[in-house]
Amino acid sequence: MTEEALLEALRERPKDGIRMLTEAYGGLIYALTWRRLQGRLSKEDIEECVSDIFFELYQCRDRIDLEKGSLKAFLLVIAERRAIKYYDRKAKPYVTVTLDSDEGMEIPAQTDVEREVERNEESRRLMDAIQALGEPGSTIMVQKYYYGMTAKEIGKGLGMSKNAVEKRIKRGLEKLRNILE
């Protein structure tokens, strides 16, 4: 199913649209979210985050312009940002600062916040650079380095040979190096 058809279904028949969207991208979004939050949040929190990602896309459905980017890319950006928000809200370490009264006040540890901001900026730059590769390059890079898939697995999913995928990975890494320098 094309992204145009998915978006139209999301706008015209929301229940069907959400179902089709989760069938098309649910595994990808769950894997991305799980990778970002595993070991930090419970399985239930991760599933809640995935639900919120699809809900946020649903709320934005009338503002999505497929000429500016793919639905998949839009969904991946939402997933990345939502996972960061969940991490910030539910898993951040806190330090206790004692004020004049006996009560302490919990605030995020500054060094952890600074490290997380830097990591988020680097992740955003990298995701932007990966998206700049275009298709199928960006998909190949995400599947290889975010999901740990082999060239053979990627090729099978994209209808390409293992060698073609390996060449795309090699060229993609060179392009990313140039973009990020």
Side-chain angles (χ1 to χ4, degrees):
M1 174 162 283
T2 67
E3 289 196 333
E4 291 83 7
L6 277 173
L7 190 55
E8 181 181 333
L10 195 60
R11 290 176 178 155
E12 303 298 323
R13 301 177 321 277
K15 283 185 181 180
D16 292 336
I18 290 289
R19 182 185 47 76
M20 292 185 309
L21 197 62
T22 55
E23 285 174 5
Y25 300 118
L28 175 69
I29 299 305
Y30 188 84
L32 175 86
T33 308
W34 179 261
R35 185 171 182 273
R36 294 279 181 240
L37 300 175
Q38 79 181 38
R40 297 179 179 127
L41 298 179
S42 69
K43 182 180 180 203
E44 292 78 18
D45 287 334
I46 294 170
E47 289 172 355
E48 179 185 333
C49 181
V50 171
S51 294
D52 286 350
I53 291 164
F54 284 101
F55 182 69
E56 186 174 339
L57 178 76
Y58 172 76
Q59 288 179 312
C60 299
R61 69 191 179 279
D62 293 326
R63 297 188 312 253
I64 297 172
D65 183 359
L66 294 178
E67 291 180 12
K68 293 181 179 178
S70 70
L71 191 58
K72 180 179 176 182
F74 192 75
L75 196 54
L76 287 171
V77 169
I78 291 173
E80 189 72 33
R81 289 179 181 166
R82 182 62 62 169
I84 290 167
K85 285 180 185 177
Y86 264 70
Y87 176 78
D88 285 344
R89 188 177 67 196
K90 295 190 177 200
K92 277 295 202 176
Y94 288 85
V95 294
T96 302
V97 177
T98 304
L99 304 174
D100 291 338
S101 66
D102 291 339
E103 296 177 26
M105 184 173 116
E106 290 186 347
I107 59 172
Q110 185 64 31
T111 57
D112 291 334
V113 172
E114 289 170 353
R115 264 189 254 132
E116 188 66 22
V117 167
E118 285 178 19
R119 193 179 133 264
N120 292 343
E121 288 174 10
E122 289 172 4
S123 293
R124 189 171 333 142
R125 277 189 65 219
L126 181 58
M127 282 307 291
D128 289 344
I130 290 171
Q131 290 301 319
L133 295 176
E135 290 297 333
S138 60
T139 298
I140 290 170
M141 298 307 269
V142 168
Q143 290 178 346
K144 172 72 175 166
Y145 294 104
Y146 277 81
Y147 305 113
M149 295 173 69
T150 65
K152 185 176 180 180
E153 292 170 329
I154 296 167
K156 184 177 179 184
L158 295 176
M160 299 172 71
S161 71
K162 176 185 170 201
N163 288 341
V165 171
E166 288 172 345
K167 285 181 183 180
R168 296 255 185 179
I169 291 170
K170 183 179 177 185
R171 282 190 230 132
L173 287 172
E174 290 171 11
K175 287 180 182 177
L176 285 174
R177 198 172 298 121
N178 291 333
I179 291 170
L180 293 172
E181 285 180 347

